[in-house]
Amino acid sequence: QVQLVESGGGLVQAGGSLRLSCVASGRTFSGFNVGWFRQAPGADREFVIAIKWDGRDIYYADSVKGRFTISKNNAQDTVYLQMNSLKPEDSGVYFCAADVLRRYNSASRSTAYDYWGQGTQVTVSS
């Protein structure tokens, strides 16, 4: 069993930055692919970004390329989502997710993930 806890969300003005954290407990993060998804009110959950278990590849949604990045600290079982140049359309609840079976070819699909955090709210004001 893996427990994921996100933090770092908040209210920020457009153009600002936030860094979200996702901490794992129960099992080490080191062997898992990790993804971030977000969900705005009334919308489906959408893929944001993912990092391969070994840290050697990052997969971005087109909407965040050049603005967001992800990093993995296996020693601390923590994954970070650095969000820069934030836009109002980036607002939503952000979820991290762990894929223990390493289905990286399906990294943009929520069904490829086995464990999810509770989410952290990000609000970008215009």
Side-chain angles (χ1 to χ4, degrees):
Q1 193 75 4
V2 178
Q3 293 80 41
L4 304 177
V5 178
E6 304 96 335
S7 62
L11 173 64
V12 64
Q13 288 188 332
S17 298
L18 280 175
R19 188 177 79 157
L20 306 184
S21 300
C22 175
V23 179
S25 61
R27 287 175 62 182
T28 179
F29 242 164
S30 61
F32 304 162
N33 300 330
V34 178
W36 284 92
F37 289 73
R38 65 189 180 191
Q39 188 166 22
D44 293 333
R45 191 169 297 189
E46 67 169 344
F47 170 73
V48 176
I49 196 169
I51 187 167
K52 198 173 179 182
W53 66 273
D54 58 4
R56 293 184 178 182
D57 193 66
I58 296 173
Y59 182 43
Y60 301 85
D62 288 343
S63 59
V64 306
K65 279 181 182 177
R67 301 188 299 121
F68 291 14
T69 193
I70 187 173
S71 59
K72 199 165 181 262
N73 185 327
N74 288 331
Q76 297 182 342
D77 280 330
T78 303
V79 170
Y80 300 99
L81 173 61
Q82 178 66 44
M83 305 186 294
N84 300 324
S85 302
L86 282 161
K87 304 175 181 180
E89 52 264 43
D90 293 319
S91 297
V93 179
Y94 281 68
F95 301 89
C96 72
D99 165 20
V100 304
L101 299 180
R102 301 182 184 178
R103 294 158 285 191
Y104 196 65
N105 287 340
S106 301
S108 64
R109 300 180 184 177
S110 60
T111 53
Y113 296 86
D114 308 287
Y115 299 99
W116 293 81
Q118 293 298 306
T120 185
Q121 177 71 45
V122 171
T123 304
V124 184
S125 63
S126 58

